[in-house]
Amino acid sequence: MNRFDRVTAILLQLQAKRVVSGPTLAQQFGVSLRTIYRDLRTLEEAMALLTAVLTAQLTDAPTARFSGAAMDKVRAVLRRSERDHLATIAPHIQVFAPRN
């Protein structure tokens, strides 16, 4: 199983179960506990990037430009398949300003 698939599977397990232990995940995926912790850190980073992208749509123009430039740098280091996946799902993500 490649890393992207493993991280996605871990995310699904975390959403489905109330408590999931690191050693259990390591055994299930046949990786070390250290790898599981790295994968969890990757999930935290992905959440931070998603939050940045979504909040950039609700901020002022200069900040939105800086955020866009940062995301362009992140996209530049992704594998082609990951960039293609982002391009596919990006049009389906919408952020609405809160109603007063």
Side-chain angles (χ1 to χ4, degrees):
M1 174 179 282
N2 67 38
R3 184 167 190 239
F4 182 80
D5 292 338
R6 186 179 63 247
V7 170
T8 303
I10 290 170
L11 176 61
L12 292 174
Q13 288 220 0
L14 292 172
Q15 291 174 335
K17 296 181 180 178
R18 185 175 179 139
V19 176
V20 181
S21 74
T24 300
L25 290 171
Q27 183 179 12
Q28 179 181 350
F29 294 108
V31 296
S32 70
L33 182 59
R34 183 176 178 192
T35 296
I36 293 298
Y37 287 137
R38 285 183 190 149
D39 291 347
L40 291 172
R41 189 172 35 251
T42 297
L43 283 172
E44 290 174 358
E45 291 168 353
M47 182 61 71
L49 288 172
L50 179 60
T51 302
V53 169
L54 297 178
T55 57
Q57 297 176 24
L58 301 173
T59 191
D60 59 272
T63 303
R65 280 194 301 275
F66 285 126
S67 179
M71 286 309 298
D72 289 342
K73 290 176 184 178
V74 170
R75 282 186 202 96
V77 299
L78 295 176
R79 284 184 250 148
R80 182 170 188 82
S81 62
E82 292 166 342
R83 281 196 310 266
D84 292 346
H85 180 67
L86 281 176
T88 301
I89 65 171
H92 302 285
I93 298 173
Q94 295 179 344
V95 177
F96 299 100
R99 295 182 184 166
N100 293 335

